[in-house]
Amino acid sequence: MTASRTCSIISAVPVPFAPAGELDLDTFAATLRGIDAHVDGALIAGTTGEFPALDDAERLELFQVGVDVLGADRVIAHLGHGSSRQVLRLANGTAALGITRFALLSPYYLPTDDDGVVEFFAALCRAHPTASVYAYLFPERTGMDISAEVLGRVMALPGMVGVKLSGGASEQIAEYAAVLQDGQELYSGNDATLPGVLDAGGTGVVSGVSSAFPETFSRLAQALRSGDEQEIAATQADAAGAVALAGPSVTRLKVALAARSGAPWASRMALPAVDDVTQTEIRAAVAQHG
């Protein structure tokens, strides 16, 4: 036995669309009910949730479903937008739902400087001083690498409680962890490596794959909390296998979620198709892991 560890699983839940493109809120609610007992919370309308294809009213509808199923304290609402004006407009509507945990993707598409990055987060913190804000770094999607020094400036802002690292940023966990203040949380978007994330000083993972394989990730978290080395090795292998098969592709995740729910789980964005062989493998894995 090794020492037990605190770890957290936040599920980055995809958004189900009907074949014609409208939101399928009933299936979304059913998915949240399916993960409820297995994860610590849900990140809604993030990258895995195809947020660029959602308007603000739709994001608020999804946030409301999250509140209804999981409770406001277990919902992390992603507010990412191209401008602070849009972020604050969405934040106001989100706060009206009782949600106080916000995630914000760093500025994207048009480049900015270090001060611009810090001010982007500061604007949200000023407007909602009682909110708990998580910085979200994903250099491959934003076109910007945020240094550890700049993240340290962001995390010194009032209201900043944590950071989520995705893509290349998740390879620099130790560097980013070193600039966090006491009590601040660090999550990796690389959900295949939860034990390593904890070893590097992280809090847990924000995992898209956990939305389709919640039982597997729940068992892994329980093993890590208990410190059972044999169970950790076995469940980590299961989790890594699920990630290799279904992640980080949104369309592969949706094949898995369709296998769980029977709903179509279409996408709005121009995403790659999943071949028939892989679809069969994913459905078999869902049956096995569930």
Side-chain angles (χ1 to χ4, degrees):
M1 298 284 287
T2 60
S4 60
R5 288 184 279 184
T6 301
C7 65
S8 181
I9 308 289
I10 303 296
S11 193
V13 187
V15 172
F17 299 103
E22 64 271 24
L23 289 178
D24 183 349
L25 294 177
D26 290 340
T27 297
F28 187 68
T31 301
L32 295 182
R33 288 193 293 270
I35 67 173
D36 185 9
H38 302 290
V39 302
D40 299 287
L43 173 68
I44 298 179
T47 303
T48 305
E50 297 176 70
F51 81 89
L54 298 167
D55 61 39
D56 281 5
E58 290 174 323
R59 288 164 83 166
L60 291 172
E61 286 185 278
L62 293 165
F63 297 161
Q64 182 65 68
V65 173
V67 171
D68 292 343
V69 176
L70 301 176
D73 60 333
R74 293 175 66 201
V75 171
I76 301 176
H78 176 235
L79 307 179
H81 258 305
S83 71
S84 287
R85 178 183 177 87
Q86 294 167 294
V87 169
L88 298 183
R89 182 183 63 205
L90 181 56
N92 292 340
T94 302
L97 302 178
I99 297 171
T100 60
R101 300 172 77 191
F102 301 157
L104 181 58
L105 185 67
S106 61
Y108 58 85
Y109 194 71
L110 293 179
T112 185
D113 56 18
D114 293 348
D115 290 342
V117 171
V118 176
E119 174 56 27
F120 191 68
F121 288 97
L124 177 59
C125 294
R126 285 195 303 269
H128 290 271
T130 63
S132 297
V133 181
Y134 295 82
Y136 181 6
L137 308 187
F138 198 163
E140 290 83 353
R141 295 292 176 267
T142 62
M144 286 189 62
D145 285 306
I146 307 298
S147 70
E149 186 272 332
V150 173
L151 179 64
R153 291 174 59 192
V154 170
M155 298 309 295
L157 296 169
M160 297 299 305
V161 299
V163 59
K164 183 213 172 186
L165 308 175
S166 290
S170 67
E171 304 301 317
Q172 303 176 60
I173 291 177
E175 182 180 354
Y176 286 122
V179 303
L180 300 187
Q181 301 182 15
D182 289 346
Q184 290 182 325
E185 303 168 12
L186 183 149
Y187 291 91
S188 174
N190 185 348
D191 44 11
T193 59
L194 177 55
V197 171
L198 302 183
D199 289 342
T203 307
V205 291
V206 176
S207 166
V209 178
S210 68
S211 63
F213 297 87
E215 299 87 357
T216 300
F217 279 83
S218 178
R219 289 194 293 268
L220 176 56
Q222 290 169 10
L224 287 162
R225 290 165 186 154
S226 71
D228 185 329
E229 289 186 10
Q230 185 173 356
E231 184 65 12
I232 290 170
T235 53
Q236 168 60 22
D238 287 343
V243 173
L245 185 60
S249 162
V250 173
T251 42
R252 288 189 180 202
L253 273 179
K254 290 192 169 186
V255 171
L257 287 160
R260 289 182 68 95
S261 67
W265 281 88
S267 291
R268 280 183 179 170
M269 300 185 77
L271 302 176
V274 182
D275 63 79
D276 291 342
V277 172
T278 303
Q279 290 192 40
T280 300
E281 293 174 348
I282 291 171
R283 294 187 187 108
V286 169
Q288 176 186 357
H289 283 248

